[in-house]
Amino acid sequence: MPRQPDASRSRRFAKIVRLGMLLAVTCLAFRLASAAETVPLRILLLHPSDLMLPGAALQDRITREAIAAAVATPIDFYSEAFDLYRVPDASQQLKFVDFLKHKYGLRPPQLIVAHGPMHDVIKRHADALWPR
């Protein structure tokens, strides 16, 4: 059997290498896409009263159920409460904001649901909490 010229073998080898690389990149892309689909959505629920109170617990449950029914991806819910009705002191609100910055600073929520007057607190401190 005659031996192939070196140039022909080099081209064939290069073609095989390119196909192998294409296959590897395609497999990696599929792995990354499937991994991205399983990353849960981080949702923070903020309440203006103690979560141990029946009304706040019910509001938290209803919110979770409504969001879970509307979203097809996995969800990680986080619930935080500041007893705004009994402790309206602005200095205590700053401590709560500082707590949120530390807890969620490295992995901020992708969605924030602020119930009632918590909307005003978060709106007032949004730049400090989650700078853009």
Side-chain angles (χ1 to χ4, degrees):
M1 200 185 253
R3 194 166 180 207
Q4 293 180 345
D6 287 339
S8 177
R9 268 199 323 213
S10 292
R11 282 193 302 271
R12 185 172 178 196
F13 179 75
K15 188 176 183 179
I16 291 170
V17 168
R18 280 194 304 269
L19 286 173
M21 289 176 63
L22 179 62
L23 179 63
V25 168
T26 303
C27 289
L28 180 61
F30 278 115
R31 270 188 93 174
L32 291 176
S34 65
E37 290 174 15
T38 61
V39 173
L41 179 65
R42 292 182 309 278
I43 299 178
L44 175 60
L45 307 177
L46 295 172
H47 298 274
S49 60
D50 187 346
L51 282 171
M52 294 295 134
L53 295 173
L58 178 64
Q59 185 179 42
D60 189 74
R61 183 175 57 82
I62 290 170
T63 304
R64 287 171 181 252
E65 289 172 357
I67 293 172
V71 177
T73 63
I75 302 170
D76 280 343
F77 283 105
Y78 302 91
S79 293
E80 303 292 349
F82 179 74
D83 202 354
L84 197 58
Y85 299 116
R86 292 189 285 188
V87 188
D89 184 3
S91 66
Q92 294 299 319
Q93 289 178 24
L94 289 175
K95 289 179 182 179
F96 181 69
V97 167
D98 194 45
F99 163 76
L100 294 174
K101 279 191 332 190
H102 282 79
K103 185 170 182 179
Y104 300 102
L106 295 177
R107 290 182 43 94
Q110 295 156 308
L111 175 66
I112 301 166
V113 178
H115 292 282
M118 286 306 295
H119 177 265
D120 294 333
V121 173
I122 297 307
K123 187 176 177 183
R124 200 169 30 255
H125 301 286
D127 290 335
L129 281 166
W130 297 286
R132 295 176 191 203

